[in-house]
Amino acid sequence: MPELPEVETVARDLARLVAGQRVVSARVLRERNIATPDAPTFISAIAGRAIRGVRRRAKWIIVDLEGGVALLVHLRMTGQLLVLPASAPLDPYVRAALLLDDGRELRFRDVRAFGRLALVACGDDGIPASSLDPSDVPLLADHGPEPLEPSFTADLLGALLARRPGRLKGTLLDQRCIAGLGNIYADEALWRAHLHPLAAGATLRRDEVERLHAAIVGVLSEAVEARGSSIDDYTGPDGDGTMQERLAVYQRQGEPCLACGATIRRFVVGGRATHICPTCQPLPRGGRRAGGELPRGAASGDRSDTRRGGRWSERVHPATVGATVAERAAARRRAVRSGGADPVGVRR
Ligand SMILES: [Zn+2]
């Protein structure tokens, strides 16, 4: 799933590619991808508006349009924004398309179709706070601070962690705590900070909070520089990212730790694959570990039977990197039951 660096890359690419263009007309090919307003209103309200700029807030892309209106796009699992000549063939996964006045189209392509588009009114401060439909809950409410803003300090991180009793990994993934952090960069930041994902965030010492703060800011900045990690369907309008080649733990289970040589482990926390170096990130003891059952593979003595597959993916597929033998077998059985085809969206 695209995280802050990937969404930031899409927003920057789009700003370069479409700012100054005017939306001539819109097509909605799958109405359920439009969160608000209804599709006919979306189509009529966006037509004729010039694109002022493109920016990011949390994992939302904000396309500022003239007249105090913004198009918000959430890529979710597999969403892509592509800028192509309008004459380019339309593949079946394009869910919406905006025709621009220079003859190109801004297309929203989404294989799994969980992504969302919304046309909203912006306040005087430029914040897309109110929907065109007053009955809608504002989409950008309830997000935590932006970790690459100067206002995100170690003190602020410490205060956010102190209020949350749970496991560090879950806290980092909570968008109400920090905006834009997801599974890839949470695992990478914890490895850089030498912290275990099951540590109780509220018990971190001052030096640990400072290490975690530096790790979050460092890994996200590097990833923005590298145009994000092209894993699964993620690509920017101007092409793939390269951060996937520089990840230290994410989907590297079974390989040696870049710092100490110990074998990287994978286990599941709160339904999310989690990757650690058992030596660099020792399991905390007693009250410094958040409660709940200890996942298999989380302690340094556990055996790891995971092996890498053939490609980068977060999904479980017979060839998925990081899936265990049992997970790949289950994915194969599911694929056979659903008609024998490979799960959609897997690039070769
Ligand atoms: Zn290590």
Side-chain angles (χ1 to χ4, degrees):
M1 181 187 293
E3 304 178 25
L4 185 154
E6 291 77 30
V7 180
E8 178 70 28
T9 300
V10 173
R12 289 182 184 185
D13 281 2
L14 276 189
R16 204 165 48 245
L17 290 167
V18 303
Q21 292 292 310
R22 189 173 296 276
V23 179
V24 175
S25 62
R27 281 189 289 170
V28 172
L29 299 143
R30 188 176 182 278
E31 294 198 3
R32 287 182 61 191
N33 286 90
I34 310 294
T36 185
D38 59 79
T41 311
F42 178 92
I43 290 167
S44 63
I46 202 168
R49 291 185 196 268
I51 298 172
R52 296 277 188 233
V54 186
R55 57 200 165 108
R56 178 193 62 77
R57 167 73 175 116
K59 294 181 192 172
W60 286 91
I61 294 151
I62 303 174
V63 181
D64 286 304
L65 301 164
E66 69 178 337
V69 167
L71 169 67
L72 306 189
V73 183
H74 200 301
L75 303 174
R76 294 281 186 87
M77 296 292 287
T78 57
Q80 301 171 337
L81 285 166
L82 308 170
V83 182
L84 297 167
S87 58
L90 203 65
D91 77 58
Y93 302 116
V94 173
R95 312 301 182 180
L98 304 180
L99 178 64
L100 306 175
D101 59 3
D102 68 354
R104 292 175 304 162
E105 250 181 1
L106 172 56
R107 292 182 181 173
F108 178 68
R109 180 179 187 273
D110 190 358
V111 171
R112 299 186 82 190
F114 293 126
R116 289 293 175 263
L117 273 61
L119 199 60
V120 302
C122 292
D124 293 339
D125 50 5
I127 297 172
S130 57
S131 160
L132 291 182
D133 176 354
S135 67
D136 270 318
V137 176
L139 294 164
L140 283 168
D142 242 13
H143 278 94
E146 286 287 338
L148 292 184
E149 292 292 319
S151 55
F152 180 72
T153 59
D155 283 344
L156 177 57
L157 177 62
L160 291 166
L161 293 175
R163 276 186 246 134
R164 288 170 169 80
R167 294 164 164 175
L168 202 42
K169 174 82 187 259
T171 300
L172 294 183
L173 294 182
D174 184 349
Q175 298 300 296
R176 293 166 300 181
C177 181
I178 302 171
L181 211 52
N183 211 32
I184 301 172
Y185 302 109
D187 280 6
E188 293 294 311
L190 288 170
W191 176 79
R192 288 184 183 208
H194 287 201
L195 293 169
H196 196 282
L198 300 184
T203 67
L204 294 195
R205 297 186 308 261
R206 174 70 198 180
D207 61 311
E208 292 172 324
V209 172
E210 283 175 3
R211 284 208 310 264
L212 181 58
H213 174 264
I216 291 170
V217 174
V219 75
L220 290 176
S221 304
E222 280 175 41
V224 168
E225 200 66 28
R227 297 179 51 79
S229 300
S230 279
I231 294 176
D232 286 333
D233 297 69
Y234 168 72
T235 190
D238 254 354
D240 282 353
T242 57
M243 190 66 186
Q244 70 277 10
E245 305 301 336
R246 286 155 55 182
L247 300 177
V249 286
Y250 185 78
Q251 294 194 343
R252 286 196 64 241
Q253 62 273 17
E255 296 187 11
C257 171
L258 301 177
C260 75
T263 303
I264 301 296
R265 291 248 168 74
R266 173 188 186 274
F267 56 95
V268 176
V269 179
R272 304 301 299 271
T274 297
H275 309 78
I276 62 160
C277 168
T279 307
C280 294
Q281 298 166 268
L283 186 68
R285 295 183 188 285
R288 301 198 73 229
R289 190 170 93 210
E293 200 184 327
L294 195 61
R296 187 164 176 273
S300 59
D302 287 353
R303 287 270 304 273
S304 177
D305 60 355
T306 56
R307 210 173 54 207
R308 289 188 70 166
R311 53 162 285 109
W312 291 97
S313 179
E314 257 214 326
R315 278 173 250 148
V316 179
H317 170 269
T320 293
V321 173
T324 62
V325 173
E327 283 169 338
R328 281 202 295 273
R332 249 189 315 270
R333 284 195 298 276
R334 276 199 303 276
V336 168
R337 273 202 304 276
S338 64
D342 278 341
V344 289
V346 175
R347 284 186 300 189
R348 297 274 154 203

